[in-house]
Amino acid sequence: TRVAPRAAPDPVQATLDGLLENVGHIGRTTTVRVEHAGYERAGAEVAARLQLEVGASVLHASRVRYLAEQPMSRLQTWVPRDIGRLVEKQDISATPLLILLEQAGVPVASATQTISAALADAKAAAALQVPAGAPLIDVRRVVCDADARAVEFIKILYRPELYRYQMTMRRVAEADGNRWHSAQISEPVPSLKG
């Protein structure tokens, strides 16, 4: 007998629209290990994204999501303290935090998301079982309620062989020539700096 290498699972595929649907699907097809959950003081980036003062109390959760027993992503999520109180006793390993926020009555209405690339630092490399410096997909999302208040900031690092985004586009004739338009997003969303 000999040990055969484990086949990589098919990557999770997500569209740029359908944010909640993607979150729900991923929650049903993966498992989560919670690394940490508790209150802390917001640093500069978290405070800016959540429109809070630096040092404000926020609920921070760090999780690793697994696909077919392989670590797929590392998630760092922050929510303002008053929002955190609504979900702090919920099992964030069983249900995505965004779904828990909706179930708690938070009127999730919009999100701004940026997608970039990053290199795995020591913590991400250990959590995702990749070498330090390995390329990762870096997703940052700010979720707002119906009053445009930021209720969640999430940073997700994905292993690119296990996760990918797909966008459908169509060619549209315009006065100054043909252009590509996303078939899924009707208006461009301004990106967040930093």
Side-chain angles (χ1 to χ4, degrees):
T1 62
R2 64 183 154 151
V3 176
R6 181 171 43 175
D10 290 334
V12 171
Q13 192 161 289
T15 59
L16 291 173
D17 69 339
L19 175 63
L20 288 177
E21 291 73 15
N22 290 337
V23 169
H25 171 73
I26 289 171
R28 289 186 300 276
T29 58
T30 62
T31 57
V32 170
R33 177 177 58 84
V34 177
E35 294 181 310
H36 160 81
Y39 289 93
E40 64 184 33
R41 300 287 172 203
E45 181 185 16
V46 171
R49 301 290 181 121
L50 291 176
Q51 304 161 5
L52 300 171
E53 296 290 325
V54 172
S57 182
V58 292
L59 177 62
H60 172 226
S62 178
R63 295 160 288 163
V64 178
R65 188 170 295 283
Y66 292 81
L67 176 65
E69 300 180 12
Q70 292 188 46
M72 176 182 84
S73 63
R74 183 168 190 252
L75 305 91
Q76 302 286 315
T77 307
W78 296 265
V79 298
R81 183 179 192 87
D82 62 311
I83 301 293
R85 292 283 185 213
L86 300 174
V87 296
E88 67 186 8
K89 299 199 185 311
Q90 301 297 320
D91 183 0
I92 59 173
S93 69
T95 305
L97 184 56
L98 188 58
I99 303 299
L100 292 175
L101 291 174
E102 286 197 317
Q103 290 173 350
V106 177
V108 172
S110 64
T112 300
Q113 179 169 274
T114 60
I115 303 169
S116 186
L119 300 178
D121 63 13
K123 286 184 179 181
L128 296 175
Q129 300 174 8
V130 298
L136 301 171
I137 299 170
D138 184 335
V139 175
R140 297 180 188 215
R141 182 183 309 139
V142 176
V143 177
C144 296
D145 67 12
D147 295 323
R149 178 190 178 197
V151 295
E152 178 187 37
F153 170 48
I154 185 167
K155 294 195 307 189
I156 313 169
L157 294 173
Y158 289 103
R159 287 175 49 179
E161 75 276 18
L162 297 178
Y163 193 83
R164 65 178 165 230
Y165 278 94
Q166 177 176 319
M167 182 187 306
T168 302
M169 299 174 70
R170 59 186 166 81
R171 195 77 166 147
V172 177
E174 295 183 353
D176 58 345
N178 293 337
R179 296 188 187 267
W180 287 106
H181 288 269
S182 168
Q184 300 166 331
I185 301 174
S186 59
E187 295 180 19
V189 178
S191 65
L192 293 173
K193 303 269 183 194

